[in-house]
Amino acid sequence: MDKEGGAVKVYSWKTLLVTILGAGGMLAYAVVRICRGDWLFGAVLAVMALGMAVEGLEASLTEEGHRKDVENGRTGRRVYRAMFGTFAPVMPYGAVILMGIGAVFALALPELPWIALASVIGALAYQIWLARAVRRELAREKEQTES
């Protein structure tokens, strides 16, 4: 219910469903980990899931949040296109791809855990590099528009 007593308006069903399934599944997995005694990892996952849920619900259920989400999406596509050209659609998912490769190696070659570990470390390094590169590009664009 909204302030006037009417139904809550959903601005993005896709974002709402992804939030419910993604953050909800992650939170359920966190609870399972906590129940099995893995408090540290479970707590970290739970905090991440709750953060994702708050952001996703704001983007899907509030007009301001939805507007910001759409604006961020447009900015992201523009920046990735300027930086990576043809590979722009794939670049945001590089860390996920590396994590998937690490998972495959962990399952296929459990006797060589260093391969999976190297892939996970590579995914972390890639994500840090990508975030810094995008921030630099946004700062450069902002500087050019102010000049």
Side-chain angles (χ1 to χ4, degrees):
M1 299 287 209
D2 66 8
K3 294 175 193 168
E4 293 82 30
V8 174
K9 182 173 181 182
V10 176
Y11 290 91
S12 173
W13 279 102
K14 182 177 93 173
T15 302
L16 181 61
L17 292 174
V18 168
T19 298
I20 291 170
L21 294 175
M26 194 171 168
L27 186 59
Y29 182 65
V31 169
V32 168
R33 294 295 293 247
I34 290 170
C35 289
R36 290 184 179 168
D38 190 0
W39 286 92
L40 180 63
F41 187 69
V44 169
L45 276 179
V47 168
M48 289 172 54
L50 291 172
M52 288 172 51
V54 168
E55 286 183 17
L57 291 174
E58 181 182 4
S60 60
L61 299 177
T62 67
E63 186 175 358
E64 178 69 17
H66 179 66
R67 187 187 56 72
K68 285 181 182 177
D69 188 49
V70 169
E71 185 179 311
N72 287 342
R74 284 187 193 129
T75 302
R77 283 189 297 277
R78 186 188 74 249
V79 168
Y80 279 113
R81 212 174 310 115
M83 291 175 65
F84 305 113
T86 306
F87 297 103
V90 179
M91 296 306 283
Y93 306 105
V96 173
I97 293 167
L98 285 171
M99 292 291 283
I101 291 169
V104 168
F105 274 111
L107 294 172
L109 300 170
E111 65 277 1
L112 298 172
W114 61 270
I115 296 174
L117 181 62
S119 182
V120 169
I121 291 170
L124 177 62
Y126 176 84
Q127 197 62 37
I128 291 169
W129 167 79
L130 185 62
R132 293 185 77 207
V134 167
R135 242 183 265 126
R136 270 194 310 268
E137 179 68 19
L138 286 170
R140 188 184 64 73
E141 280 185 7
K142 184 177 179 183
E143 186 179 287
Q144 284 180 348
T145 58
E146 291 175 354
S147 302

